[in-house]
Amino acid sequence: MPLFSKGATYERISKADDGDEDGVIRQGEDTAELARQRGIPIGDRRFRDNDRSATHGKHRPDYERLMAAVQRGEVDVIIVYMLGRLWRNRRERAEGLELLRKHEVSILCVKGPELDLTTASGRLLAGLLGEVDTFEVEQMSEREQREMRQRVERGEPPTGPRCFGYTADGMELVPAEASEVEACFHALLAGATLSGIAADLNKRGILNRNGKAWSHNAVRGMLLNERYAGIRHYRGAPYPGKWPAVVDEVVWRSAVTILTDGDRKTSPGPARKWLLSGLALCGVCMDGTKVTSAQRGYRDRPSERVYKCSGGVKHLQRKADPIDTLIAGTDRSLIPDTNRRKPYGVVIQRLARPDAADLLLSEDVPELREFQRKATTLRAKLDENQDDYDNDRKTRKQYLDSNERLRARLDEVEAQMTHPQRAFVLKDLIPGSDIAGAVQRADFVARAWDALPLDRRRAVVDTLMKITLLPGKAGRRPFDPTTVRIDWH
């Protein structure tokens, strides 16, 4: 029996619930006891990776430190609970065995043999035992994949942590949570930002499934989750779920389009604080440069908010309040020295017109419903094509040709389904048919506008018009509305 003077222990558990270390602690106790029995000093050469899989060659910090110690000549034997704790995949095992052979390092197993890797027989035994470990992992993976496919085909929801909006088994809705999820989808399609949605949820005390506050990324992950549309993908193919959907597929796909848009800013910086900053164009540059907001200070009077060109040249600076009032003012107080009330802003006036409902008749809405019907039909044909092939009613070539053709048509339909719906932006602002009078309609729109958060208001403005700010008149002259050019979309 060889004498070792530089022992090291290594423990690993693939999955540990909530950071539980009981498993690796037990392994550590057993490896330390074996070292004591053999009289092998280990000192501080204790290496441990908790909740780390070794199957797919992912990063294992302490394993890498152990191999580095081997290369420095600091280890002559590694003590493990069993060989599978050290390696699980062929590539890492081959690399590890070669490294230990080169540096004449042996392996001692609490549950298994002593492996002298300086000999051909020791390396053969280590390789055979390792192949058994790999076989067991691969066989278990095949069983799990078959079980997963069966669950998908049955329309069962994914396993794992509870999904916000659903019960623990995923088959029933939690009404209050599902209502919040649906509202988040509609808010996004209506122009709300992820940060704005998260802030609203947190302000109202709505916590996520872990009882924690919502973050920008948590809201994004929720809105990208296909489960809310009653869909589950497996190996690239969609399958209908038997659990209740929170939103229909059209809404979910529209949200995915918005969130995966390459031009969408994922790190927008500080949230916008004013209506037109980042929306209105500089009327001096005339090259697409936007305006930003700032505070302009004075010695003899309070500072005021202004819109200015976001470029480096200080050629445009306009008072913001009168411009915002022109665009979306809702103050109907009396104009001094007159009996006339202040007019509503142009956004309110446009949405209060009798033909405002036409703004909701986006061509996309009826087409999207038709696209959804077509997509359902095409998926049924794909299933029928698969069934024909499985039951020898089609040759492989016929099956592949049909599959390629149907897939291409389905991809085309789904691409058309993902067009965002303009109606979501404006739907809360259009008076119903029961509100007939012009004054009543305008008052309805004004109240609805005042109830919207800023990001929703900005989305409405961006949907309805393009605004260009031209230079104002010199001196302290009254505000001139003609210096704000409005081009209606």
Side-chain angles (χ1 to χ4, degrees):
M1 181 180 295
L3 296 177
F4 300 107
S5 60
K6 296 179 290 186
T9 64
Y10 179 76
E11 298 92 42
R12 181 185 63 80
I13 288 285
S14 295
K15 293 182 180 180
D17 296 333
D18 298 325
D20 178 23
E21 295 189 351
D22 288 349
V24 290
I25 289 174
R26 286 192 297 270
Q27 287 185 26
E29 292 172 349
D30 292 343
T31 55
E33 175 60 21
L34 179 57
R36 187 192 64 79
Q37 292 174 2
R38 293 287 299 269
I40 302 172
I42 54 177
D44 60 355
R45 294 183 293 275
R46 306 295 300 271
F47 301 90
R48 177 175 296 173
D49 285 312
N50 191 39
D51 200 18
R52 299 275 181 173
S53 172
T55 301
H56 303 292
K58 293 183 178 179
H59 177 57
R60 288 187 284 157
D62 261 29
Y63 173 79
E64 293 170 5
R65 284 192 283 271
L66 170 62
M67 293 297 105
V70 168
Q71 290 177 300
R72 293 192 300 268
E74 298 172 0
V75 176
D76 61 5
V77 63
I78 299 173
I79 306 173
V80 294
Y81 184 76
M82 55 191 300
L83 191 61
R85 299 301 88 203
L86 200 55
W87 302 303
R88 277 300 214 188
N89 73 63
R90 294 183 178 90
R91 180 184 61 79
E92 272 195 346
R93 182 169 62 250
E95 292 173 352
L97 285 174
E98 178 59 22
L99 181 65
L100 299 189
R101 180 201 66 77
K102 179 179 178 181
H103 292 276
E104 299 183 345
V105 177
S106 296
I107 299 175
L108 289 181
C109 301
V110 175
K111 298 295 183 181
E114 177 177 331
L115 301 171
D116 182 0
L117 302 184
T118 63
T119 67
S121 60
R123 292 191 296 275
L124 172 64
L125 181 56
L128 292 174
L129 292 174
E131 278 300 313
V132 172
D133 285 335
T134 301
F135 165 74
E136 290 177 348
V137 169
E138 292 177 344
Q139 189 178 54
M140 181 173 61
S141 176
E142 289 175 358
R143 289 198 303 268
E144 290 175 347
Q145 290 179 20
R146 182 66 188 92
E147 180 184 359
M148 181 181 294
R149 178 181 173 186
Q150 186 179 54
R151 287 180 58 84
V152 170
E153 291 172 344
R154 288 175 177 174
E156 298 177 15
T159 57
R162 184 179 77 85
C163 180
F164 184 80
Y166 288 96
T167 53
D169 63 2
M171 292 301 293
E172 295 181 22
L173 294 176
V174 177
E177 292 183 356
S179 177
E180 293 291 347
V181 173
E182 183 179 19
C184 289
F185 273 98
H186 290 176
L188 178 75
L189 298 185
T193 63
L194 295 177
S195 296
I197 294 172
D200 176 65
L201 290 169
N202 295 333
K203 181 180 179 181
R204 294 186 291 111
I206 308 299
L207 304 178
N208 65 20
R209 62 178 173 82
N210 295 319
K212 297 181 179 179
W214 290 90
S215 65
H216 171 282
N217 288 333
V219 172
R220 186 177 192 276
M222 177 178 69
L223 297 177
L224 289 174
N225 192 342
E226 63 189 12
R227 190 188 302 195
Y228 293 116
I231 304 170
R232 186 177 182 184
H233 279 76
Y234 181 70
R235 294 188 179 277
Y239 291 83
K242 292 185 178 178
W243 62 89
V246 175
V247 296
D248 64 32
E249 188 172 346
V250 171
V251 172
W252 174 71
R253 289 192 178 278
S254 297
V256 171
T257 295
I258 293 172
L259 295 175
T260 56
D261 181 0
D263 294 330
R264 178 184 174 88
K265 290 184 178 180
T266 55
S267 299
R272 300 292 186 183
K273 296 181 179 180
W274 309 112
L275 183 65
L276 301 182
S277 56
L279 285 183
L281 300 173
C282 173
V284 177
C285 294
M286 296 301 290
D287 61 358
T289 301
K290 304 290 181 67
V291 302
T292 187
S293 59
Q295 291 290 136
R296 181 166 62 185
Y298 300 95
R299 289 183 177 180
D300 57 343
R301 64 181 188 272
S303 63
E304 61 185 356
R305 185 170 55 89
V306 297
Y307 289 127
K308 64 177 185 178
C309 177
S310 60
V313 181
K314 297 181 180 180
H315 52 215
L316 179 76
Q317 194 170 88
R318 301 291 311 277
K319 292 181 180 180
D321 288 342
I323 296 174
D324 286 355
T325 299
L326 171 68
I327 299 300
T330 59
D331 179 6
R332 292 283 282 161
S333 60
L334 289 175
I335 300 175
D337 302 325
T338 73
N339 289 322
R340 292 183 294 113
R341 293 189 178 277
K342 295 178 181 178
Y344 281 127
V346 294
V347 169
I348 313 302
Q349 296 176 38
R350 176 64 187 93
L351 295 174
R353 281 168 38 177
D355 65 348
D358 292 345
L359 295 170
L360 298 181
L361 298 179
S362 170
E363 296 178 358
D364 299 325
V365 174
E367 289 177 0
L368 284 172
R369 302 299 175 184
E370 180 63 12
F371 290 148
Q372 188 179 34
R373 185 191 65 77
K374 290 180 180 179
T376 301
T377 301
L378 288 169
R379 290 182 189 125
K381 289 183 178 180
L382 281 166
D383 291 340
E384 182 180 339
N385 186 50
Q386 182 70 54
D387 186 65
D388 286 343
Y389 177 65
D390 291 343
N391 291 281
D392 299 322
R393 291 191 290 268
K394 282 188 176 181
T395 65
R396 179 169 178 78
K397 184 178 186 308
Q398 290 173 326
Y399 161 75
L400 292 175
D401 288 346
S402 295
N403 207 59
E404 182 179 1
R405 184 174 63 257
L406 291 170
R407 279 280 173 206
R409 289 172 59 190
L410 180 59
D411 290 344
E412 182 178 318
V413 170
E414 288 183 342
Q416 291 170 306
M417 287 172 64
T418 57
H419 186 8
Q421 299 181 57
R422 166 181 185 164
F424 274 102
V425 178
L426 305 175
K427 64 183 178 65
D428 296 333
L429 295 164
I430 305 299
S433 58
D434 57 325
I435 305 177
V439 174
Q440 289 79 6
R441 293 175 62 85
D443 289 344
F444 171 89
V445 176
R447 287 193 299 271
W449 177 267
D450 285 339
L452 293 180
L454 179 62
D455 52 4
R456 283 287 310 277
R457 296 182 188 182
R458 288 168 52 83
V460 172
V461 171
D462 198 31
T463 298
L464 292 178
M465 64 186 75
K466 180 176 74 171
I467 300 172
T468 304
L469 302 186
L470 304 173
K473 306 299 182 182
R476 296 188 179 182
R477 298 186 182 184
F479 171 69
D480 182 1
T482 64
T483 60
V484 179
R485 193 175 76 200
I486 299 173
D487 297 303
W488 295 93
H489 293 318

